[in-house]
Amino acid sequence: MRCVTLGVIVLLAPVTCVDHHKFRTCSQTSFCRRRRPATPAREYVISPSSFALDASGRLSAQLHGGPYGVPLSLSLETYASGAVRLRIVESSPLHGPRWEPNDILLPQAHAPLRLVGAGDAQLPAELRGAVETGDARVYAATDDGVLVVLYLHPFRAALYQAGEKSLDLNGAGKFYFEHHRNRDDAATALPAAEETDVHGGKTIVEFGEDGLAVYSDGTKQEKGADSEVVAETDKAAGTSEGEWEESFGSHRDSKPYGPSSVGMDVSFARTHHVYGLAEHTGPLNLASTTGEKAKYSEPYRLWTLDVYDYELDSPMALYGGVPLLLGHSANTTTGFLWFNPSEAFIDISRSGGGAAGWFSSEASA
């Protein structure tokens, strides 16, 4: 009996099934292209006299300043579950309130906020000085050690758990809010203030709607050269393209209210482990998209679409988008939900202090 052995040689060539021309990148999307490389602009401040706690323990305040001087309304509320909600919208929107998907929120038991004073035993020692000088307001809702810190000038927010900071909002100064406008407004942005003490050591007691300080001696900050010299117009600076309409392939997107993108940076203290941003095919501990050890050059994209072919180990969008980040350390796990359903791009970065994310969405609040 003769045995015959047959050898079959199969040559496999690498094949890429994804047609990248069908999926937008950051550089092909107006708001991401404009905002991702932007340096921090003229920042917002919270008016001290605008803080108000209503009868149910919900907090409201006003943000002034910013690159266009358009006031924003801030609200803060907490729940018995330990969740904290910070919401920022235009105070007087030109075209009415922006759409928000509040109908999907489940009812939660509310926990009223209370102001934490400088002598309160619950206040961490590192915050005492800022509370005494009025540079920060600290609020608590329960006795479980969760504190919310609002810094006034410039606007910042932080979350403390058991006496330690676990999360920072706008710590890098990348918060922005593009207001609705008319096309003939010719709005121009004011430049960021220089890193000098423009107040001459005076004590600030208030900020006007123009973002200028009012001092304890009754005088007011003068409008200096830094606020009189406006930046070049958007057109001259080459950034107007895509603000009112843009195209991708055969699809044209008209924006009758102009650019309306919003963005915020968030950082998690003492951890380099961040998870979330479903649905993507990258590693569970999200890979960085910026910085020296960035694995991807593109930010994570959130955009609901039906993808038949997709790549493994990629930040490209898949079927759904969940704008949730979880920062996990040895002692705590802190979640950050960017409650915005519009198209978004998210950068992840890491430094010696921990991991950080930057969210940028096309619209909403």
Side-chain angles (χ1 to χ4, degrees):
M1 182 176 183
R2 180 180 298 177
C3 295
V4 179
T5 301
L6 297 178
V8 179
I9 300 176
V10 179
L11 299 178
L12 298 177
V15 177
T16 300
C17 298
V18 178
D19 184 357
H20 287 278
H21 293 90
K22 295 181 179 180
F23 306 103
R24 289 203 307 185
T25 63
C26 177
S27 63
Q28 295 169 322
T29 310
S30 175
F31 74 90
C32 186
R33 181 174 63 247
R34 289 184 288 108
R35 289 297 179 174
R36 192 187 189 200
T39 56
R42 185 170 180 256
E43 298 196 83
Y44 288 93
V45 298
I46 304 180
S47 172
S49 63
S50 69
F51 282 97
L53 270 175
D54 66 17
S56 64
R58 292 177 173 86
L59 179 73
S60 63
Q62 289 291 311
L63 298 178
H64 298 298
Y68 294 95
V70 176
L72 305 175
S73 294
L74 175 151
S75 62
L76 177 70
E77 55 185 311
T78 55
Y79 304 93
S81 63
V84 178
R85 186 183 186 190
L86 178 70
R87 177 175 174 266
I88 300 175
V89 297
E90 284 186 69
S91 299
S92 302
L94 182 63
H95 301 292
R98 302 189 185 198
W99 178 77
E100 298 177 65
N102 292 321
D103 58 314
I104 68 171
L105 294 176
L106 298 177
Q108 293 193 59
H110 181 70
L113 287 163
R114 67 175 180 85
L115 183 64
V116 177
D120 196 306
Q122 195 175 359
L123 185 70
E126 63 189 77
L127 296 175
R128 203 169 305 280
V131 171
E132 289 176 342
T133 60
D135 293 328
R137 299 279 183 97
V138 180
Y139 294 90
T142 60
D143 295 326
D144 58 2
V146 176
L147 300 175
V148 182
V149 185
L150 295 176
Y151 295 93
L152 280 65
H153 189 273
F155 160 64
R156 300 280 192 271
L159 183 71
Y160 278 71
Q161 300 180 73
E164 294 187 347
K165 183 165 63 174
S166 58
L167 182 144
D168 259 318
L169 288 180
N170 198 33
K174 294 183 179 181
F175 165 67
Y176 73 91
F177 199 111
E178 294 180 332
H179 64 286
H180 282 173
R181 65 198 74 177
N182 293 318
R183 192 158 191 166
D184 57 358
D185 284 349
T188 55
L190 293 168
E194 297 180 0
E195 293 295 328
T196 57
D197 183 10
V198 297
H199 307 291
K202 294 183 177 181
T203 301
I204 302 170
V205 296
E206 181 61 281
F207 293 98
E209 293 189 1
D210 54 4
L212 298 177
V214 178
Y215 304 116
S216 58
D217 61 4
T219 61
K220 185 176 180 180
Q221 179 186 3
E222 295 182 0
K223 186 177 289 187
D226 62 329
S227 59
E228 291 176 348
V229 180
V230 298
E232 295 176 326
T233 63
D234 290 340
K235 184 175 182 180
T239 61
S240 62
E241 186 274 323
E243 290 186 342
W244 294 89
E245 62 180 49
E246 62 180 315
S247 298
F248 179 71
S250 61
H251 304 281
R252 177 178 172 274
D253 183 14
S254 177
K255 306 170 187 178
Y257 301 153
S260 56
S261 175
V262 295
M264 175 77 80
D265 62 272
V266 56
S267 60
F268 298 92
R270 302 179 305 281
T271 182
H272 289 88
H273 300 278
V274 285
Y275 309 93
L277 300 186
E279 187 170 34
H280 295 94
T281 62
L284 187 61
N285 185 16
L286 296 171
S288 297
T289 59
T290 60
E292 294 182 0
K293 297 183 179 180
K295 184 175 185 178
Y296 306 134
S297 59
E298 278 290 312
Y300 293 89
R301 185 189 183 206
L302 294 183
W303 180 244
T304 302
L305 41 74
D306 188 7
V307 182
Y308 177 72
D309 297 314
Y310 59 87
E311 293 179 339
L312 295 178
D313 200 4
S314 169
M316 69 178 290
L318 283 179
Y319 306 100
V322 182
L324 172 68
L325 276 183
L326 296 172
H328 180 63
S329 69
N331 299 320
T332 60
T333 298
T334 305
F336 173 77
L337 175 66
W338 179 250
F339 191 57
N340 186 312
S342 61
E343 181 179 10
F345 288 90
I346 301 98
D347 269 323
I348 299 296
S349 61
R350 289 171 172 83
S351 63
W358 175 73
F359 287 73
S360 180
S361 292
E362 184 178 22
S364 193

